[in-house]
């Protein structure tokens, strides 16, 4: 099946230009919106969109300050939430099925807090993480890296300026441990380090600081009340971010959690068939699509 691809720019009320693209028939309703992680990375969910775009149109976008959405200015979680609301308006979507990955799962959660009436269903993938999950993550990353790799990563992080190759090396070292398979993980990390660029480090720092100052932990009771009827969590069992943190969140939000064995922080890379089947079931249920067709 050949799916139509469209793209465009949406001007926001404060002067940013958000680049978006869609896969599938954009006249169909409802639609799926993919929210990428970071923060500070351009969209990278191009492998995920085709998994469900025959069931519903799939929109994705570069968050302001990344990729083809240039922005010079202060970042805030509230502004990123409103960016999504303005995009839905531009796409003429009264509501949407949200699938957020990593930071994008946190963004989807905060969007539910502010605009619950516009969320038909939500899948939180490999996030958001609440509680003291960073201690476990640091320990697991340290276990997966050699002493030389840990030392080299510290050296690169401490540089006030980095060359292109140093930036690629830093990101490869920072990301390869995200995967269950270290050999394939190194290849995926090296590819991502060259494609998911440039990293907006100031955006990462600003939103990270705000998230620590006002964590989702303090809003979970309200979030539970505002989540749509169809809401789920999904995580890779071998993500260095402890799956126990997602299990705790699932209990507090009363949500089902799907654990993907043999997968890390980007489970669609290591277990594409399993993730595809899960996403297709979720989207079919959310949009009211018919039974699975023969592919």
């Amino acid at each position: 099946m050949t799916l139509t691809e469209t793209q465009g720019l949406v001007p926001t009320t404060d002067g940013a230009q958000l680049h978006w693209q869609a896969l599938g028939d954009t006249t169909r309703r409802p639609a799926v919106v993919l929210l990428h992680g970071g923060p500070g990375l351009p969209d990278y969910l191009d492998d995920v969109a085709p998994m469900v775009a025959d069931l519903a149109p799939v929109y994705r976008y570069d968050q302001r300050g990344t990729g083809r959405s240039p922005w010079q200015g202060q970042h805030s979680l509230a502004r990123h939430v409103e960016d999504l609301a303005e995009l839905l308006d531009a796409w003429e979507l009264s509501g949407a099925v949200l699938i957020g990955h990593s930071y994008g799962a946190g963004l989807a959660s905060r969007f539910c807090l502010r605009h619950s009436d516009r969320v038909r269903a939500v899948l939180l993938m490999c996030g958001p993480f609440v509680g003291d999950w960073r201690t476990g993550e640091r320990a697991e990353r340290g276990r997966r890296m050699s002493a030389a790799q840990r030392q080299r990563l510290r050296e690169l992080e401490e540089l006030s300026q980095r060359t292109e190759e140093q930036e690629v090396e830093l990101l490869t070292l920072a990301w390869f441990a995200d995967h269950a398979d270290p050999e394939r993980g190194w290849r995926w990390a090296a590819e991502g380090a060259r494609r998911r660029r440039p990293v907006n480090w100031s955006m990462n720092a600003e939103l990270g600081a705000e998230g620590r100052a006002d964590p989702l932990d303090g809003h979970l009771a309200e979030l539970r009340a505002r989540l749509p009827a169809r809401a789920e969590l999904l995580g890779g069992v071998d993500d260095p971010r402890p799956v126990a943190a997602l299990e705790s969140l699932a209990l507090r939000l009363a949500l089902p959690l799907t654990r993907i064995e043999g997968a890390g922080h980007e489970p669609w890379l290591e277990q594409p068939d399993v993730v595809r089947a899960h996403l297709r079931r979720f989207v079919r249920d959310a949009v009211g699509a018919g039974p699975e067709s023969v592919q």
Side-chain angles (χ1 to χ4, degrees):
M1 177 185 297
T2 301
L3 296 169
T4 302
E5 293 182 280
T6 52
Q7 61 180 312
L9 289 172
V10 169
T12 65
T13 52
D14 68 342
Q17 294 276 337
L18 301 180
H19 181 271
W20 62 270
Q21 54 197 97
L23 184 65
D25 182 358
T26 55
T27 66
R28 295 174 63 183
R29 299 290 185 272
V32 173
V33 179
L34 301 182
L35 303 174
H36 67 82
L41 300 178
D43 171 68
Y44 51 78
L45 296 175
D46 48 314
D47 288 335
V48 177
M51 293 181 173
V52 295
D54 62 312
L55 302 175
V58 179
Y59 290 84
R60 18 187 208 108
Y61 67 100
D62 291 325
Q63 294 157 13
R64 65 169 59 213
T66 72
R68 288 173 283 182
S69 299
W71 167 253
Q72 296 294 327
Q74 186 175 0
H75 291 271
S76 72
L77 294 169
R79 181 63 255 185
H80 279 238
V81 165
E82 293 313 305
D83 282 350
L84 178 52
E86 291 183 23
L87 283 165
L88 294 185
D89 290 341
W91 296 328
E92 299 182 342
L93 299 176
S94 59
V97 177
L98 302 183
I99 299 177
H101 174 250
S102 196
Y103 161 75
L107 178 58
S109 299
R110 292 181 187 270
F111 188 84
C112 287
L113 289 170
R114 179 69 179 84
H115 298 285
S116 60
D117 59 316
R118 306 198 69 173
V119 184
R120 185 180 180 111
V122 61
L123 176 62
L124 305 175
M125 185 160 51
C126 304
F129 290 90
V130 298
D132 182 22
W133 58 272
R134 291 182 177 84
T135 299
E137 183 201 20
R138 285 192 293 268
E140 181 59 22
R141 284 189 182 279
R143 189 189 69 79
R144 297 183 187 190
M145 300 175 72
S146 68
Q149 288 171 332
R150 294 192 297 271
Q151 176 61 30
R152 180 56 177 163
L153 180 58
R154 285 192 295 269
E155 292 171 356
L156 291 167
E157 289 174 333
E158 291 169 0
L159 293 176
S160 58
Q161 291 185 320
R162 288 184 289 270
T163 66
E164 171 71 12
E165 287 307 308
Q166 287 171 333
E167 184 80 350
V168 169
E169 184 184 4
L170 179 146
L171 294 173
T172 303
L173 285 166
W175 291 345
F176 87 93
D178 276 341
H179 306 283
D181 183 328
E183 291 187 9
R184 290 192 299 166
W186 187 269
R187 186 181 75 249
W188 286 321
E191 291 172 355
R194 295 190 180 278
R195 291 177 52 229
R196 302 176 186 180
R197 300 287 309 287
V199 177
N200 189 328
W201 291 108
S202 61
M203 171 183 169
N204 181 277
E206 289 173 30
L207 294 182
E210 185 181 353
R212 290 188 294 274
D214 181 24
L216 272 173
D217 305 54
H219 303 279
L220 293 183
E222 182 184 3
L223 179 59
R224 178 172 176 170
R226 292 183 177 274
L227 284 170
R230 289 188 175 88
E232 300 183 14
L233 288 158
L234 179 150
V237 171
D238 294 312
D239 192 334
R241 302 154 187 79
V243 71
L246 289 183
E247 292 169 344
S248 175
L249 180 64
L251 287 174
R252 296 178 68 177
L253 295 180
L255 297 182
L257 166 64
T258 298
R259 304 162 183 81
I260 306 296
E261 299 284 346
H265 194 57
E266 298 177 26
W268 63 88
L269 292 178
E270 293 182 282
Q271 299 295 338
D273 292 340
V274 175
V275 173
R276 181 184 297 106
H278 182 85
L279 293 185
R280 291 185 69 82
R281 191 273 307 161
F282 177 80
V283 171
R284 282 199 310 273
D285 290 348
V287 306
E292 183 73 69
S293 59
V294 177
Q295 298 297 306

